[in-house]
Amino acid sequence: MTDSEVKMTLSSYLTMHSASEKINKTPFVPEYVLPRIKINGDTKDDCCVLNFEFEINVTSTKWQSIPLLPSSMAVLSTNIQHKKPESEKDQKVFQNGSFGIHSDWHSFFSHSPGIYIVGCVVECPFLNDRRSSVAIQIPQASYGEICFSVPKQQNENQKCQITANPSLSHEVISESDKTVLKAIFPATSKLTIQWTDISNENENNEEKKSSAENSETKNAEQQIVTLEQDTLYSVGEGVLYMDATFNYTLVHTSRSYFTIVLQDKIRVLQVDGENIKRWKLLDSSEKNNQEQRNLSLEKSEKLLMVELKFAVVNNYSFSVSMELDLGDTSVRDMSLPVVWSRDVAREKSNFLVEALTNVEVEEKSTRGVTPIDINEVSEFLSSSSSNALFAYKTLFPKSANITVNITKHQDTVVLVTSIDKCKFDVTVAEDGQYLHKVTMSVRNTQRQYLRTKLPKKFMLWSTVVGGHAIKPAIDAEGQVMIPLEKSHGDSKQKQFVVELIYLIQGPPMKSNGKLNLEFAIIDIPINILLVTLYLPNTYSYRNFDGTVRKTQYFSSNQMIVSQAHEMKSRALESNLMSNCQAMQTNPMMYDSCNEELEMDDDDVYVASKTKVGVVPVLVEFPQVGRQFLFEKLLINSEPQNITVSYNRNNNGSCSVL
């Protein structure tokens, strides 16, 4: 597929854009809605039987599939009634739809607008082996009601407690042969019904107490909780960052909360994990809190309690982000704070220490830990660290100690912007006009502007950065300021191209004399400077001199990939469109930009066709005349010039002496 261009007038484009906005503002109309769901159900020995009645309002004339029930249910029978809209005279009730399987859902298929009453009887499996609950997946409706009955197995005095979740209101009625729940539920995608026989609960309390004492020791032996902890210590300038993950393994038990002991000075920033209800910090001073009854904390410790929405089994993991203020950028005899978990049978901890920026971390002493290679740590630690220094492991984190010395060294000045290659193309006219084109390949990480001091009596024609024409500025010292991009990407730091075209007005060339060409002084170091000089063909030239060495050919590739000409069409069209739209919304804004920049003749000369504060056009640079090449390495904001003597040839030919 090739790129193509479409040309249209500005008025046509604005008309098309306005029509597009009207289409986008068209209100959304759903293809169907579910105002009501009604459910009747009861239990059997091996499943539940549910009778659904869905009220569906179809607004579309296209065939569509409306999912109603999951395919895990078995459909026994269906019934479909269709009422036409009230605008139609014939209000007969008839079937105009079908029921079937689509994408693992029992679905209703229709293509005719109107109100449908879809009824179906299904069998639904129990949620657990005790056959005391059922979960129903349904589409969301504006109103829902359910009537669910549980038969009495023993006698009419049997008591059964039935609940529906979620529900707005519910009523439990005990009849002679069954217990009935009537409830109204809100819009939900899942409805859970649970029932429990509570008639013999009081009679069995004493028996449960006696059996609990006998089984307590046995259960304690079977219930095992182990933990593997990974902690990354990132030492920065005056602060210590800690990222820890806690991986629990639960055998023959479940947990709805977990507790971590940490130093009192540590700030907990964030706790991440599935099904976390809340987390909070408790210290030893809260003696009256029921949750503090068995803390046994030291004054320098506090407890992180992570509560879950429901109890978990088998495995559970969560992560904690923490930080500790070191008080100074350089610290001697710093003990890295170790966190540990309560109420676990076994805890294995892995620690990894890394340094950020130019902070030096030196290990002084350790106790209760075993040094390991940094390649032996877990995937979490290896992927989280970019400058790992030390790694340790231990089975007793409570008694572990790692002491380090932290030293912050003085920052040094570094280069944040450089010009890999700078090429000057200069065309000299006989009337004394020198047209300069400067093309620079730049890498930049922080600088906002490139500043350049141009020769006297200059006229700035064009400034391009990264293929886009930009507006330059002039500072108080008369230097031209060009906004720079940032070199994003990998460690190589992507280059971008800066182009500058300006005209110098000098004395006209005579029959003989000497040219003195001065170049723009750029405040960024240049690795390689290349100059291509185009002189009139009607003169002979000799005695080339100056700060830049003349050469027959360039020692390196002179080509600098310029994005300006490749993207010129797109840039001009984009600028023209934005300017035209802005003029329509605020014409006075562009009237204020029509003032010409007039400065002293010794500094800047500006032609009457130039404007201040607007984006310049992209200029094609003429390359006419005899070509001469010059080259220089490593320039650091020094002024550069080239001088040459010339004589007019009587026969009009060009010669070089």
Side-chain angles (χ1 to χ4, degrees), residues 34 87 255 580:
L34 274 78
S87 58
R255 284 281 181 90
C580 292

Side-chain angles (χ1 to χ4, degrees), residues 529-547:
L529 174 64
L530 307 174
V531 179
T532 302
L533 183 60
Y534 298 92
L535 298 178
N537 292 323
T538 56
Y539 290 83
S540 59
Y541 304 97
R542 67 182 185 277
N543 299 333
F544 287 91
D545 198 2
T547 59

